[in-house]
Amino acid sequence: QVQLEESGGGLVQAGASVSLSCAASGRTFSNYFMGWFRQAPGKERDFVATISKGGGSTWYSDSVKGRFTISRDNTKNTVYLQMNSLKPEDTAVYYCAARDSRWYSIDRKGYSYWGQGTQVTVSS
């Protein structure tokens, strides 16, 4: 198993950049695809980005493509989400998640382990 803890959220203005981190503990970090999801008030938890076990491949939702970058450092058991050009509609609780599989997933049901979430609020 793996335990996940997000950090780096906060209140920022539109157009700003924020970097989120997710620290993992437990089983070997490199065994997992890692993903970021977000959930706004009254909305479902939606896919943001995912990264392959070795970090060589990434996938993004259309709404964040070109603005957000997911990365990982397996020597530090950490996955990151660099968020640029933030918009008010990016406001949400951001969750880190881990997937133990041989293939990636953009579905929250494909992830077995979740962090507690970190709030990102973007003001206009």
Side-chain angles (χ1 to χ4, degrees), residues 14-15 17-18 26 32 42 53 57 60 70 74 82 86 108 110 113:
S17 295
V18 170
Y32 300 92
K53 296 175 180 181
S57 298
Y60 299 91
I70 187 172
N74 287 350
Q82 177 66 45
L86 283 165
R108 62 181 174 86
Y113 306 98

Side-chain angles (χ1 to χ4, degrees), residues 101-124:
S101 180
R102 300 200 302 118
W103 195 244
Y104 80 99
S105 177
I106 63 171
D107 189 341
R108 62 181 174 86
K109 292 180 291 185
Y111 292 78
S112 298
Y113 306 98
W114 295 85
Q116 82 288 344
T118 185
Q119 177 72 46
V120 175
T121 302
V122 184
S123 65
S124 59

Side-chain angles (χ1 to χ4, degrees), residues 22-24 29-30 34 51-55 70-80:
C22 174
F29 183 62
S30 60
M34 298 299 298
I51 188 167
S52 60
K53 296 175 180 181
I70 187 172
S71 62
R72 68 192 295 164
D73 186 343
N74 287 350
T75 69
K76 298 180 179 180
N77 280 19
T78 303
V79 62
Y80 306 93

